[in-house]
């Protein structure tokens, strides 16, 4: 049994004082849940000890004390008691929810998630992202406040941490938690976090400075005491009700000042500070007048944060004056309300008020945030805090993690595939699955703030074309397309070569007689540079094997061949294959309604189906039958009236072309238009309209080309689009909803 550490009765005593404090604050509230939270936490942590040897429960109890001193609500205090239970014991979140309700469970979950992430040892430029993320991933701001209280206690007891971890913890506190406390307006906590970190990170500088400040302490204290009495008297004479505080500034803020201004302690104007807290804004300015009337203000040191509040809503008048005996000091003047905000920030809004119940206070909190955002809009130098809040209110980005805690920032609605490509192209290309927060999830899952994503890869795996529809980052899209194109091209080359061999056999042309040189010259006839490109073009169906053979071996190829199994796509200059005539005798009828000949049929503009796609008809009111693609989203909606659905099919014989509109996103470079139109003329596809424009919204030299073209069927459309995609500089192609 150890003797120097707290024994159970003393731990119990720690809880008793907590309960008394809470009861004094909230005399009307039922504290049984607080008691249960303490007992449950103590029970769960009973086997654990802090590194000092004290029972672990002393830590959650201390955190709860801090939260109580901040006058936070019961949910926060209970969260403080339970904050390490899910992290450090086998208890599951569900049990917390069952026992302590949804709010406490949500907050405990939030604190647990934050605890899993190490924000330490980051580069400076990541600190801002990390702070944003920390705020973004907490849906309840109380999570952040509990976390700050947790960190404050850890910093106060940093000596119980292993020495090699202290520095990282202190650095993280300085980089992440102190600035967050600052942004939330919690000046008191920020100051303490900074000083404790300073002492850990630079023990010598901190000790020197504190010794120096200490050496003058007696002198300072005497000076402040006299000054305080003097100011009180002067204010009284002017009928300004006020309380006056005198203090020596915090070590870390003095240190920063010395460093920034390269001055010595004697030259720091505001190591001594007087604070005047009065009843109204009017009296703030009146008090400033009194001070300036008595002592000489130092030029450039007067700041009106009442008229121009700081981004974190801090308000005060600041001035520095040359006092008695040439001693300079700073004066801060504010109202009680401003003082409360300056010290406690957002936490001030959880304070218990007699007679006012929950919802009212909730409104206040939201009003506070809203006001914050409002003010930010009018201020020029406040981008930082606004963007922080923006993350929360109108989030454009999601902050996710690798299992090792690296932050991956992705656009909204990004998927694990984007995540994989953000890590490395190889990870993206070989990714076969994803574990999100430990559970297997489909690759198309939308990632959310705080998700920990683990990508499963398999060597040799290749990206699928379907991924293009679910990725959100251009990096992923480009990489996927690159691989798909390479794979498809390799396939096309193989198919092209085989089809040439097959056709040669069929026509009795001996391929042995055809030299590579011959093929090369045909290739250049077709405007491609290598034989391989010629095979690829054959494979993609851009021209037929027979056409190629006619060029290299005109004699043999001209012999009347047996019927070709499939007609090749028509060549440039030729008219589209004429329709042999529809059995219905109506060339215009490209769609027929099963069992009804004489009805008005039209393609629905929303999906604009082309021949070859599965279609369904819908009887409109007075406009005939609208034909949709089965995949059209509108079709699902039409199911509300299933009796109006009717079976339709593409008329077998008719091959009249149908207009389809596509948007092509490309690099803005000369020659692209020509290549696009060559594809269409090679397909004998008629161009109805073509419009090209630079994309003004983007600065990366991109262009959008919009083409309405005629296609015979789905196959031809796919062929055209494949050929488009192969043109260097084409980034994306989108088939538009309507043809006109
Ligand atoms: Mn903790």
């Amino acid at each position: 049994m150890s003797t120097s550490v707290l024994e159970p009765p003393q731990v119990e005593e720690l809880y008793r004082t907590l309960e008394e404090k809470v009861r004094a604050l909230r005399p009307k509230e039922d504290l049984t849940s607080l008691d249960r939270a303490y007992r449950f936490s103590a029970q769960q942590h009973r086997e654990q000890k802090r590194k000092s040897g004290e029972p672990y429960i002393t830590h959650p109890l201390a955190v709860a004390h801090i939260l109580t001193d901040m006058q936070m609500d019961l949910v926060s205090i209970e969260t403080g008691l339970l904050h390490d239970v899910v992290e450090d014991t086998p208890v599951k979140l569900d049990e917390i929810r069952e026992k302590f309700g949804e709010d406490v469970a949500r907050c405990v979950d939030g604190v647990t998630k934050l605890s899993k992430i190490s924000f330490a040892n980051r580069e400076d430029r990541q600190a801002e992202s990390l702070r944003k993320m920390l705020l973004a991933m907490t849906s309840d701001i109380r999570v952040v406040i509990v976390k700050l209280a947790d960190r404050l206690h850890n910093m106060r007891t940093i000596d119980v941490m292993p020495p090699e971890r202290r520095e990282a913890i202190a650095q993280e506190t300085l980089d992440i938690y102190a600035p967050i406390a600052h942004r939330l307006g919690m000046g008191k906590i920020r100051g303490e976090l900074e000083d404790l970190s300073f002492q850990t990170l630079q023990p010598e500088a901190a000790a020197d400075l504190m010794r120096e400040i200490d050496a003058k302490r007696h002198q300072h204290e005497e000076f402040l005491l006299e000054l305080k009495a003097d100011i009180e008297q002067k204010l009284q004479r002017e009928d300004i009700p006020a309380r006056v505080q005198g203090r020596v500034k915090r070590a870390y803020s003095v240190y920063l000042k010395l460093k920034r201004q390269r001055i010595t302690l004697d030259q720091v104007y505001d190591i001594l500070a007087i604070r005047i807290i009065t009843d109204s804004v009017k009296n703030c300015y009146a008090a400033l007048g009194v001070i300036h009337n008595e002592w000489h203000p130092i030029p450039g040191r007067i700041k009106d944060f009442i008229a121009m509040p700081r981004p974190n809503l801090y308000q005060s008048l600041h001035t520095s004056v040359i006092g008695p005996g040439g001693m300079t000091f700073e004066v801060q003047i504010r109202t009680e309300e401003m003082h409360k905000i300056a010290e406690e920030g957002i936490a001030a809004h959880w304070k218990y008020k007699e007679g006012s119940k929950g919802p009212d206070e909730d409104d206040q909190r939201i009003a506070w945030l809203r006001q914050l955002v409002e003010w930010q809009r009018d201020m020029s130098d406040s981008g930082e805090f606004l963007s922080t809040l923006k993350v929360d209110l109108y989030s454009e980005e999601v902050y996710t993690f690798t299992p090792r805690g690296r932050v991956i920032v992705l656009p909204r609605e990004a998927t694990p595939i984007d995540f994989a490509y953000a890590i490395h192209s190889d990870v993206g290309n070989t990714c076969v699955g994803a574990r999100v927060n430990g559970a297997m999830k489909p690759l198309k899952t939308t990632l959310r703030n705080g998700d920990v994503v683990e990508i499963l890869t398999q060597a040799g795996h290749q990206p699928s074309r379907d991924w293009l529809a679910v990725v959100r980052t251009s990096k992923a899209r480009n990489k996927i397309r690159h691989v798909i194109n390479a794979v498809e091209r390799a396939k096309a080359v193989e198919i092209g070569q085989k089809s040439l061999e097959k056709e040669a056999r069929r026509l009795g042309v001996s391929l042995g007689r055809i030299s590579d040189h011959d093929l090369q010259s045909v290739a250049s006839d077709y405007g491609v540079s290598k034989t391989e490109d010629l095979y690829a073009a054959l494979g993609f169906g851009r021209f037929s094997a027979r056409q190629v053979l006619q060029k290299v071996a005109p004699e043999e190829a001209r012999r009347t061949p047996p019927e070709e199994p499939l007609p090749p796509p028509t060549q440039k200059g030729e008219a589209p294959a004429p329709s042999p005539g529809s059995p219905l005798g109506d060339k215009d009828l490209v769609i027929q309604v099963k069992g009804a000949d004489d009805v008005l049929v039209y393609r629905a503009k929303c999906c604009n189906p082309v021949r070859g796609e599965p279609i369904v008809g819908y009887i409109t009111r007075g406009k005939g039958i609208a034909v949709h693609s089965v995949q059209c989203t509108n079709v699902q909606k039409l199911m509300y009236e299933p009796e109006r659905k009717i079976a339709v099919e593409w008329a077998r014989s008719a091959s009249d072309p149908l207009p389809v509109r596509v948007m092509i996103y490309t690099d803005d470079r000369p020659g692209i238009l020509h290549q696009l139109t060559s594809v269409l003329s090679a397909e004998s596809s008629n161009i109805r309209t073509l419009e090209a424009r630079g994309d003004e919204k983007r600065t990366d030299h991109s262009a959008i080309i919009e083409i309405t073209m005629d296609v015979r069927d789905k196959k031809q459309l796919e062929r055209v689009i494949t050929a488009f995609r192969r043109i260097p500089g084409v980034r994306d192609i989108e088939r538009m909803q309507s043809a006109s």
Side-chain angles (χ1 to χ4, degrees):
M1 283 279 119
S2 104
T3 51
S4 64
V5 298
L6 287 178
E7 293 299 329
Q10 291 163 288
V11 173
E12 188 70 22
E13 184 54 31
L14 258 180
Y15 174 67
R16 285 284 150 237
T17 54
L18 176 74
E19 204 185 41
E20 276 161 30
K21 266 199 238 173
V22 178
R23 191 173 316 247
L25 267 169
R26 301 163 187 273
K28 287 178 182 166
E29 255 174 271
D30 176 9
L31 299 186
T32 50
S33 65
L34 183 76
D35 195 71
R36 279 194 295 119
Y38 162 63
R39 311 251 161 244
F40 183 74
S41 181
Q43 174 68 14
Q44 297 305 326
H45 288 301
R46 69 188 177 279
E47 303 292 341
Q48 297 158 352
K49 295 226 180 296
R50 294 204 91 200
K51 290 180 186 81
S52 59
E54 287 173 327
Y56 192 82
I57 186 67
T58 56
H59 165 64
L61 267 171
V63 172
H65 268 279
I66 293 170
L67 291 162
T68 308
D69 293 339
M70 290 162 75
Q71 306 188 22
M72 292 299 293
D73 65 354
L74 266 184
V75 168
S76 310
I77 299 169
E78 286 172 24
T79 303
L81 286 171
L82 297 164
H83 80 272
D84 280 330
V85 166
V86 175
E87 168 94 359
D88 294 341
T89 79
V91 172
K92 294 275 182 292
L93 197 63
D94 285 341
E95 195 177 347
I96 302 281
R97 188 176 293 115
E98 220 171 273
K99 289 192 156 78
F100 303 101
E102 185 57 47
D103 284 353
V104 172
R106 191 181 54 242
C107 289
V108 169
D109 187 38
V111 177
T112 306
K113 274 190 185 142
L114 287 185
S115 306
K116 284 193 183 133
I117 302 154
S118 162
F119 296 98
N121 296 327
R122 306 293 177 193
E123 298 155 55
D124 275 355
R125 63 187 170 82
Q126 255 207 318
E128 178 54 28
S129 294
L130 289 164
R131 292 192 289 259
K132 267 187 182 176
M133 182 215 63
L134 193 148
L135 291 181
M137 60 185 283
T138 47
S139 53
D140 191 323
I141 201 80
R142 285 176 291 192
V143 170
V144 178
I145 295 174
V146 173
K147 186 68 202 169
L148 287 171
D150 176 38
R151 179 49 59 104
L152 183 59
H153 185 245
N154 284 335
M155 285 305 300
R156 281 177 182 170
T157 54
I158 189 112
D159 287 346
V160 310
M161 295 289 171
E164 68 278 8
R165 286 216 54 221
R166 285 180 205 162
E167 200 170 305
I169 293 171
Q171 191 65 53
E172 182 186 68
T173 304
L174 207 54
D175 290 344
I176 308 293
Y177 290 101
I180 284 176
H182 178 47
R183 279 174 208 200
L184 296 177
M186 303 160 80
K188 225 161 124 186
I189 288 204
R190 173 210 178 183
E192 195 178 344
L193 287 174
E194 283 180 348
D195 274 7
L196 292 167
S197 308
F198 178 41
Q199 284 162 36
T200 307
L201 290 170
Q202 285 166 281
E204 276 160 38
D208 282 353
L209 187 59
M210 281 158 134
R211 207 176 304 120
E212 216 176 329
I213 293 173
D214 242 20
K216 294 185 177 169
R217 184 172 299 281
H218 183 70
Q219 187 195 346
H220 286 154
E221 276 170 0
E222 211 167 296
F223 179 80
L224 282 173
L225 216 63
E226 279 171 33
L227 201 56
K228 187 171 166 267
D230 191 15
I231 293 171
E232 273 169 350
Q233 204 187 357
K234 288 188 167 70
L235 291 173
Q236 216 171 358
R237 213 180 295 142
E238 299 296 322
D239 263 345
I240 302 168
R243 50 195 183 99
V244 180
Q245 301 171 339
R247 69 197 174 100
V248 177
K249 284 214 152 182
R250 286 199 165 272
Y252 186 64
S253 76
V254 173
Y255 169 77
L256 284 186
K257 201 153 282 198
L258 293 179
K259 223 174 94 175
R260 199 164 45 230
Q261 300 174 4
R262 296 163 195 260
I263 49 175
T264 63
L265 195 59
D266 292 329
Q267 294 166 287
V268 176
Y269 288 136
D270 41 12
I271 181 162
L272 300 179
I274 290 285
R275 190 172 287 149
I276 300 171
I277 301 159
T278 179
D279 62 341
S280 67
V281 171
K282 191 172 137 257
N283 276 333
C284 288
Y285 290 100
L288 185 70
V290 168
I291 297 292
H292 283 172
N293 200 32
E294 193 65 29
W295 296 291
H296 228 48
I298 296 164
R301 301 278 307 162
I302 306 167
K303 294 193 181 106
D304 185 350
F305 295 119
I306 291 181
M308 293 283 286
R310 276 189 176 152
N312 62 9
L313 296 196
Y314 175 87
Q315 285 187 293
S316 271
L317 298 174
H318 287 193
T319 186
S320 293
V321 297
I322 303 168
M327 193 79 151
T328 56
F329 62 96
E330 189 196 57
V331 183
Q332 298 177 350
I333 308 167
R334 52 176 79 145
T335 64
E336 289 287 355
E337 180 67 21
M338 293 171 193
H339 183 57
K340 199 173 79 174
I341 296 280
E343 294 279 292
E344 299 159 15
I346 196 165
H349 295 267
W350 270 269
K351 281 202 166 174
Y352 182 77
K353 282 191 209 73
E354 198 78 39
S356 91
K357 287 256 161 69
D360 199 31
E361 287 179 39
D362 259 358
D363 287 352
Q364 271 190 20
R365 253 169 258 149
I366 292 159
W368 189 83
L369 280 174
R370 201 172 291 136
Q371 192 186 7
L372 205 53
V373 175
E374 284 301 315
W375 279 358
Q376 298 288 344
R377 277 196 199 114
D378 306 332
M379 296 172 71
S380 50
D381 61 342
S382 58
E384 210 190 23
F385 192 51
L386 176 62
S387 60
T388 306
L389 277 174
K390 258 190 181 160
V391 169
D392 222 8
L393 301 178
Y394 341 84
S395 173
E396 293 298 323
E397 289 170 334
V398 288
Y399 297 84
T400 56
F401 302 96
T402 65
R404 299 174 70 183
R406 188 175 141 211
V407 184
I408 305 288
V409 185
L410 296 168
R412 242 177 69 181
E413 302 198 316
T415 61
I417 303 172
D418 292 297
F419 184 96
Y421 278 100
I423 293 175
H424 195 276
S425 310
D426 291 343
V427 176
N429 287 336
T430 57
C431 122
V432 288
R435 217 173 266 140
V436 178
N437 302 324
M440 284 301 298
K441 285 282 157 68
L443 286 174
K444 63 178 201 296
T445 308
T446 299
L447 295 177
R448 288 178 309 178
N449 271 317
D451 280 349
V452 177
V453 186
E454 189 186 341
I455 298 296
L456 311 177
T457 60
Q458 192 177 32
H461 190 266
Q462 274 164 347
S464 128
R465 182 172 283 284
D466 301 340
W467 291 4
L468 289 172
V470 299
V471 295
R472 288 287 175 275
T473 55
S474 53
K475 179 175 182 192
R477 182 167 298 126
N478 291 338
K479 297 283 179 195
I480 295 166
R481 191 165 295 143
H482 183 79
V483 175
I484 288 177
N485 285 349
V487 169
E488 285 186 352
R489 188 187 143 81
K491 249 187 242 161
V493 168
E494 200 187 317
I495 292 168
Q497 202 166 359
K498 280 196 180 131
S499 77
L500 193 69
E501 285 162 8
K502 196 171 154 201
E503 186 67 6
R505 269 198 305 277
R506 207 171 61 85
L507 295 174
V509 178
S510 154
L511 267 181
R513 271 187 45 217
I514 301 164
S515 69
D516 195 52
H517 179 265
D518 292 333
L519 283 173
Q520 187 87 55
S521 81
V522 177
S524 62
D525 279 358
Y526 278 114
V528 295
S529 58
K530 286 180 299 184
T531 315
E532 199 184 82
D533 295 333
L534 183 70
Y535 289 141
L538 279 172
F540 283 125
R542 236 172 286 167
F543 21 83
S544 71
R546 189 169 168 203
Q547 287 161 343
V548 173
L549 288 171
Q550 271 170 349
K551 293 204 178 215
V552 285
E555 291 302 313
E556 292 95 326
R558 207 171 290 131
R559 288 201 308 252
T560 316
E563 189 71 14
E564 289 190 38
L566 272 174
T570 47
Q571 252 306 109
K572 181 174 179 173
E574 287 177 23
S579 157
S582 131
L584 297 169
D586 184 353
K587 271 180 72 182
D588 290 324
L589 194 62
V590 293
I591 299 163
Q592 65 189 33
V593 178
K594 283 184 178 162
D597 292 344
D598 193 21
V599 279
L600 182 60
V601 178
Y602 69 94
R603 289 195 304 155
K605 284 212 166 160
C606 51
C607 51
N608 206 27
V610 297
R611 174 179 300 282
E613 286 180 319
I615 45 176
V616 62
Y618 179 75
I619 307 163
T620 66
R621 296 184 201 277
K623 285 193 294 178
I625 292 169
V627 176
H628 293 264
S629 155
V630 167
Q631 274 158 14
C632 174
T633 50
N634 283 339
V635 169
Q636 328 297 330
K637 294 178 196 146
L638 298 175
M639 287 319 220
Y640 288 117
E641 288 180 88
E643 67 281 3
R644 292 167 71 183
K645 223 176 93 180
I646 188 164
V648 289
E649 62 186 350
W650 296 101
R652 203 163 300 137
S653 51
S655 60
D656 300 52
L658 300 167
V660 169
R661 190 161 65 109
V662 292
M663 297 277 257
I664 304 157
Y665 301 87
T666 71
D667 292 343
D668 195 1
R669 64 163 180 82
I672 281 210
L673 264 185
H674 174 72
Q675 283 176 291
L676 289 168
T677 51
S678 312
V679 167
L680 290 172
S681 59
E683 282 287 351
S684 308
S685 165
N686 179 38
I687 298 172
R688 293 201 178 189
T689 64
L690 187 150
E691 199 187 322
R693 57 180 185 271
D695 191 347
E696 296 95 11
K697 277 175 287 178
R698 303 172 63 159
T699 52
D700 57 351
H701 306 289
S702 61
I704 298 177
I705 298 165
E706 194 180 321
I707 301 180
T708 305
M709 61 203 182
D710 287 340
V711 296
R712 284 187 303 279
D713 56 18
K714 184 171 166 239
K715 279 197 183 119
Q716 189 186 26
L717 179 63
E718 283 167 354
R719 217 159 44 225
V720 166
I721 287 182
T722 306
F724 280 170
R725 285 196 199 281
R726 304 203 51 75
I727 297 172
V730 169
R731 300 176 183 182
D732 202 1
I733 298 172
E734 206 180 332
R735 180 170 159 200
M736 300 312 285
Q737 294 293 294
S738 99
S740 49

